[in-house]
Amino acid sequence: MVLRVRVSLPDRPGVLGQVARAFGVLGADILQVTVLEREGGRAIDDFTLSWPGGFAADELRERLSIVPGVRIDGVWPTREVPGVSPDYDLLGHVASDAERAYVTLVDAVPDLVSAEWAVAVDSRTGAVVHGSWQAPGVDEMPDLTPLRPAAFSEGPLHLLSLPLKEAGLHLVVARSEGPAFHQVELDKIVRLVEVVSQLAASTVDRTVA
């Protein structure tokens, strides 16, 4: 099992090593560490772990609690494969078939931020145009389309919502396990959406020409 673990820890020498040793005692193999922020003497890091046996978030929290000042903000399964660049793969697929750019984006984006599903929503009507694997079987999501890119929560769901202005759509990305989306995750998807939109527009321009 591959897990994503979000850890808040004191930003001082030696603490990261203590956290790594605690994971090692549990038999977990650290595959990747992503720094999300460093501010006010603390850091927030995402660890991607190869985890033996069953999924026990409480056990992780208990073991890491022995490191002074360390807090686990979330533990959740991920389909992420460290060492692979799914964002580049996404852009490659879009470039090769730009007419399906937004469908490809919706299908691929959950794996880019360890989310569960994504949908494209018509910005005008709120109708769901396309959903990825595991997307809920609903016809409309009218309340999830703010004017600007945003990360927020609705009940148990943590959400990202980004306008795809050129297509008249909104991209909505969700996870119910783990913590709320971090600003770094939102910024990553915003940049990818900008490139995907440019690739999609280039196909229209060539067609018109």
Side-chain angles (χ1 to χ4, degrees):
M1 173 179 288
V2 179
L3 298 179
R4 177 74 72 87
V5 183
R6 183 160 297 170
V7 180
S8 173
L9 64 159
D11 189 13
R12 61 174 182 263
V15 177
L16 187 60
Q18 291 177 282
V19 172
R21 283 193 294 274
F23 284 139
V25 169
L26 290 168
D29 184 18
I30 298 175
L31 304 177
Q32 181 172 285
V33 181
T34 303
V35 178
L36 298 179
E37 68 177 69
R38 280 192 158 84
E39 186 176 353
R42 293 192 67 81
I44 297 178
D45 296 344
D46 272 3
F47 292 81
T48 304
L49 305 177
S50 176
W51 178 256
F55 172 50
D58 290 341
E59 185 178 5
L60 273 174
R61 289 188 174 91
E62 181 181 350
R63 294 298 183 93
L64 286 180
S65 68
I66 66 173
V67 182
V70 169
R71 182 184 72 244
I72 291 186
D73 291 341
V75 183
W76 69 108
T78 178
R79 295 190 297 273
E80 179 182 2
V81 181
V84 177
S85 300
D87 44 352
Y88 294 137
D89 292 339
L90 162 63
L91 296 177
H93 288 303
V94 169
S96 65
D97 188 2
E99 291 183 359
R100 290 178 50 83
Y102 297 112
V103 171
T104 302
L105 174 66
V106 170
D107 289 340
V109 77
D111 288 348
L112 303 184
V113 287
S114 294
E116 294 166 29
W117 53 264
V119 292
V121 178
D122 187 298
S123 298
R124 183 177 57 85
T125 66
V128 174
V129 176
H130 178 70
S132 71
W133 179 66
Q134 290 189 320
V138 296
D139 295 327
E140 295 184 352
M141 291 187 177
D143 299 327
L144 302 182
T145 56
L147 295 178
R148 295 179 178 83
F152 56 98
S153 297
E154 289 281 342
L157 282 180
H158 303 303
L159 299 157
L160 295 178
S161 183
L162 301 87
L164 307 173
K165 295 180 181 179
E166 293 78 3
L169 301 171
H170 255 77
L171 173 66
V172 178
V173 187
R175 67 179 173 223
S176 59
E177 298 184 82
F181 288 101
H182 193 275
Q183 183 66 40
V184 168
E185 295 173 297
L186 176 60
D187 292 343
K188 175 180 181 177
I189 301 306
V190 167
R191 290 193 295 270
L192 280 171
V193 164
E194 289 173 350
V195 177
V196 168
S197 297
Q198 290 172 4
L199 290 171
S202 69
T203 297
V204 174
D205 293 341
R206 289 196 300 270
T207 302
V208 173

